[in-house]
Amino acid sequence: MQYSDKKKTSADNKLTTKGTCLIHANILYDIANCCYLDCLLQSRKGMDERSAAVHMLQNLRLQHRYIVLMDRGYESFNPFEHGNRLANCNYVIRLKTQGKSAIREISALPDQECDLEMTFNITNSAKQKKLHPEYHKINAPNRRYKDKYSPKYRTAHWDFESFCPVHCRIVKLKINDPLSGKTEWEVLATNLSPSDFSLSEMRNLHHLRWDIESSFRKLKYDLGAVCFHSKKPAFQEIELYSQLIMFNVVNRIISLCRIADAHRKWPHEIDFKETANIVHRYYTRPMIGNSKQMIEEIEAYHHPVRKGRQYPRPLRFQGSVSLNYRIS
């Protein structure tokens, strides 16, 4: 999740619609319990999603098996091998299928659903790459005495041996776009067993990833994290952490609420925005201490859940908000 601001042009000194990233937030979200587990903030120059994902997985250390869902930005052999070696860790990573950044074995897959076990030979040695052209070469700096590289020299993180075979399961799924009528393909890399998770179950896991985007929508627009009240990065980080804590508090209170059973066409759920307003009033007014009254008031606000509904996403630029307006 990125927080941006407008950028001025040098020619006519007018505001453009092109934004610049100020703070990059890497957030670990628990889909089953609807809460944020970890957050790692990075600056624009130090932005690295893949290393942040590895850092958060190493700090997770759950005692039971878990599944981590990642988007295309986390496609790398280093997270693959970390997921294979971490205890109790299973991953499902969405892969790119076209372009120069796609893995060559993935771009060569046929246009049909398939479930394959693949092994990628990874090396960071130029000598091994010359002897075996089919290997994947990672430009990981292995010379500790060399601190500066050419600006065109792109390095990547590789935390394992100079030569390492990376094993993973590649699943290609067929997804039809009802808006355009075209057939699209999604390719997933995972270490889940095919006997435990079939193609249909892998499709359901891929669909669960959208709950992460829904949580960001609630965080931004229901809790006001779409813009900051402060200018200094340290104060902005405090605001973001407080909003993440508030998100977890609201969802934990929602889990305590119960909706009365009735013969309805659609299942109902507690409204998140109204719950956030009630919780905020509960902690800022003399209502505090009467938690039963708060729960009863929250249970009165619910709305139907209509699964399978799809709408085109309105793509519009989010402009900056003046500080005076935020204070008011």
Side-chain angles (χ1 to χ4, degrees):
M1 186 169 65
Q2 298 181 4
Y3 290 90
S4 306
D5 201 354
K6 286 186 177 180
K7 186 178 181 180
K8 291 184 177 180
T9 58
S10 58
D12 53 359
N13 199 25
K14 293 183 179 179
L15 294 178
T16 64
T17 58
K18 183 178 180 181
T20 57
C21 176
L22 300 179
I23 298 177
H24 186 79
N26 301 275
I27 303 176
L28 185 62
Y29 179 68
D30 187 353
I31 296 177
N33 298 314
C34 300
C35 64
Y36 293 113
L37 301 179
D38 197 357
C39 178
L40 181 61
L41 302 181
Q42 297 174 334
S43 63
R44 177 65 182 89
K45 295 183 179 180
M47 186 175 62
D48 190 352
E49 293 181 331
R50 299 166 183 175
S51 62
V54 171
H55 178 75
M56 288 188 291
L57 287 179
Q58 291 175 343
N59 293 336
L60 193 55
R61 298 177 182 178
L62 297 178
Q63 299 300 324
H64 55 82
R65 299 197 66 85
Y66 57 92
I67 302 175
V68 182
L69 305 178
M70 302 184 191
D71 208 352
R72 293 192 183 101
Y74 299 93
E75 176 186 354
S76 178
F77 292 112
N78 196 44
F80 290 176
E81 190 62 18
H82 274 283
N84 293 334
R85 300 194 184 191
L86 287 174
N88 301 324
C89 179
N90 294 108
Y91 60 86
V92 178
I93 303 179
R94 192 180 177 194
L95 304 181
K96 299 176 183 177
T97 57
Q98 297 178 354
K100 296 181 179 179
S101 58
I103 303 174
R104 59 174 180 265
E105 289 87 351
I106 304 303
S107 58
L109 289 175
D111 291 338
Q112 61 182 11
E113 291 189 347
C114 54
D115 190 350
L116 306 173
E117 295 286 342
M118 286 190 176
T119 300
F120 305 97
N121 295 319
I122 310 301
T123 182
N124 60 355
S125 172
K127 182 179 179 180
Q128 291 290 335
K129 176 63 177 178
K130 187 176 181 180
L131 295 176
H132 305 279
E134 69 277 6
Y135 284 7
H136 289 270
K137 172 70 166 57
I138 294 181
N139 293 331
N142 52 5
R143 299 180 181 180
R144 297 182 180 272
Y145 62 86
K146 190 171 183 179
D147 298 330
K148 296 183 180 180
Y149 293 87
S150 171
K152 297 182 179 180
Y153 185 77
R154 298 182 60 184
T155 60
H157 289 278
W158 180 248
D159 304 326
F160 305 100
E161 300 83 8
S162 177
F163 171 77
C164 177
V166 177
H167 307 278
C168 63
R169 174 189 173 198
I170 303 298
V171 178
K172 189 169 185 178
L173 303 173
K174 183 178 181 180
I175 299 178
N176 294 327
D177 189 358
L179 299 178
S180 62
K182 297 181 181 179
T183 300
E184 297 182 358
W185 301 93
E186 292 292 348
V187 181
L188 308 175
T190 180
N191 59 348
L192 293 171
S193 172
S195 59
D196 298 332
F197 291 86
S198 60
L199 287 178
S200 60
E201 292 174 340
M202 292 299 299
R203 184 179 285 104
N204 295 333
L205 284 177
H206 173 262
H207 184 70
L208 286 176
R209 189 186 56 83
W210 189 251
D211 292 346
I212 305 174
E213 305 296 336
S214 300
S215 70
F216 288 159
R217 181 194 61 193
K218 296 177 182 178
L219 180 67
K220 286 183 177 181
Y221 300 102
D222 294 345
L223 296 181
V226 70
C227 58
F228 296 114
H229 294 77
S230 308
K231 286 186 176 181
K232 293 185 178 180
F235 294 157
Q236 293 174 356
E237 292 181 7
I238 294 175
E239 285 189 43
L240 181 58
Y241 283 127
S242 62
Q243 288 157 350
L244 292 174
I245 295 173
M246 185 63 176
F247 182 91
N248 291 347
V249 170
V250 172
N251 277 310
R252 184 60 59 91
I253 294 176
I254 289 177
S255 64
L256 301 176
C257 300
R258 297 293 181 268
I259 301 176
D261 295 334
H263 297 286
R264 299 188 179 97
K265 181 178 180 181
W266 305 101
H268 282 226
E269 67 178 6
I270 300 294
D271 188 85
F272 181 88
K273 187 173 183 178
E274 291 296 335
T275 303
N277 294 332
I278 295 172
V279 172
H280 180 264
R281 187 171 70 253
Y282 172 79
Y283 283 105
T284 55
R285 295 185 180 180
M287 182 183 175
I288 187 168
N290 192 355
S291 58
K292 184 178 180 180
Q293 179 183 353
M294 180 188 65
I295 296 295
E296 291 177 354
E297 186 176 354
I298 291 174
E299 291 176 348
Y301 294 94
H302 51 82
H303 58 267
V305 180
R306 301 177 178 89
K307 296 184 179 181
R309 303 183 73 183
Q310 296 184 358
Y311 299 97
R313 181 188 295 183
L315 299 178
R316 58 182 182 273
F317 176 73
Q318 179 67 36
S320 61
V321 181
S322 63
L323 291 176
N324 293 333
Y325 178 78
R326 302 178 200 177
I327 294 174
S328 61

